[in-house]
Amino acid sequence: MDKSKRKAIIAGNWKMNKTPSQAKALLEELIPMVKDADCEVVACVPYVDLAVAVETVKGTNIKIGAENAHWEKSGAFTGEISTDMLKEIGVEYVVLGHSERRQYFGETDETVNKRTKAVLAAGLIPIVCVGELLWERKCDITDEVVARQVKLALYDVSAEDVKKTVIAYEPVWAIGTGETATADQAEEVCAAIRATLAKLYDAETAEAVTIQYGGSMNAGNCDELLAKTNVDGGLIGGASLVAEKFQPIVAAASK
Ligand code: PGA
């Protein structure tokens, strides 16, 4: 992390976990535990939990995020949720292009780009996920794969908007597997993402962008990961579902 240059953000990605009453209980438990955090604390929760989550964290330092958003304002898109809907209830962040959406729900680089632009246009903060598959790492094309995803996600996004965008580097082989990238591997790819941003925009813009690491980040490995210059926080799946497991990561990012 380099907090002098950019915001450190620890975001939970709850995925398809927690009913509204369970969401309220978890957030109520978390509020006192993270109230003195010296980093941004975000909980990205399922759609039906959003309203109660926003209500529960009112007046605290926890921000609420959604896990996806459609690019159209409204219309015949059964099952989808628009940025206006999210904005009106007080959502501030939106996870986009998560590997589970790319893998199971046909998400493409093109739709990630459309969603990113819509989310930014609505004044919400996108957390754009990128990351390589295991066989892509084995073929030694990690940097190419990730650079391609970053470039396509940010097509037609202005420098001003990219500074508001969060990028989450999540090696797909490390998600929910208990296998974490080493701190050096995470730093290498996060630095490569920043170099891509510098080429697409300029060095000053690249330095302003928060780049998170995600993939089995937990209390045991977060210190080492967050100590790296280009790792500006974490997108946390499994460990965000239990307050005692999430709090130490927030504490580590607050140092
Ligand atoms: P994990 O998930 O921490 O459970 O590996 C991270 C993510 O998918 O965002």
Side-chain angles (χ1 to χ4, degrees):
M1 295 180 293
D2 186 344
K3 290 191 195 173
S4 67
K5 294 194 174 135
R6 49 202 172 249
K7 203 185 268 187
I9 306 174
I10 300 297
N13 172 18
W14 291 9
K15 311 192 179 188
M16 196 176 73
N17 293 291
K18 307 289 177 188
T19 65
S21 60
Q22 290 169 341
K24 186 172 194 300
L26 174 54
L27 288 167
E28 279 172 348
E29 203 183 341
L30 206 55
I31 288 167
M33 295 171 94
V34 302
K35 69 174 177 13
D36 298 319
D38 183 26
C39 65
E40 184 96 321
V41 183
V42 185
C44 299
V45 309
Y47 289 134
V48 294
D49 295 348
L50 286 170
V52 72
V54 168
E55 197 53 41
T56 307
V57 302
K58 217 164 247 175
T60 77
N61 59 331
I62 302 178
K63 308 278 169 62
I64 299 300
E67 298 177 13
N68 198 10
H70 199 264
W71 56 88
E72 291 292 345
K73 280 279 189 198
S74 63
F77 301 100
T78 303
E80 291 297 314
I81 298 288
S82 76
T83 55
D84 284 349
M85 295 170 190
L86 299 176
K87 183 122 179 128
E88 186 173 313
I89 64 165
V91 168
E92 294 179 63
Y93 285 81
V94 187
V95 176
L96 296 174
H98 190 278
S99 63
E100 286 148 18
R101 296 221 61 88
R102 293 179 192 256
Q103 223 172 326
Y104 310 132
F105 302 103
E107 189 78 68
T108 66
D109 289 313
E110 191 187 356
T111 52
V112 174
N113 174 246
K114 287 181 175 183
R115 295 182 205 279
T116 303
K117 286 189 284 195
V119 163
L120 284 163
L124 298 164
I125 302 170
I127 300 178
V128 178
C129 304
V130 296
E132 82 287 4
L133 304 171
L134 184 57
W135 75 276
E136 290 169 330
R137 177 165 282 271
K138 285 186 175 154
C139 292
D140 201 20
I141 57 167
T142 297
D143 287 357
E144 285 150 72
V145 168
V146 172
R148 180 189 155 90
Q149 288 173 333
V150 168
K151 284 180 191 169
L152 292 172
L154 298 177
Y155 169 71
D156 212 15
V157 172
S158 70
E160 195 192 326
D161 273 348
V162 88
K163 286 183 189 174
K164 299 174 201 154
T165 301
V166 177
I167 295 179
Y169 166 55
E170 299 205 308
V172 179
W173 48 273
I175 294 177
T177 57
E179 203 167 323
T180 326
T182 64
D184 285 339
Q185 283 172 327
E187 170 65 10
E188 193 185 326
V189 183
C190 289
I193 291 171
R194 207 175 300 289
T196 299
L197 294 173
K199 261 192 240 160
L200 281 178
Y201 300 91
D202 55 70
E204 185 235 324
T205 304
E207 285 296 327
V209 177
T210 294
I211 303 176
Q212 301 174 314
Y213 167 78
S216 302
M217 194 190 263
N218 58 41
N221 58 32
C222 61
D223 274 309
E224 208 188 338
L225 286 160
L226 295 169
K228 295 293 181 184
T229 318
N230 287 290
V231 178
D232 306 314
L235 185 58
I236 324 294
S240 71
L241 298 172
V242 179
E244 293 79 24
K245 291 186 178 172
F246 190 61
Q247 185 276 333
I249 306 175
V250 173
S254 300
K255 281 178 198 159

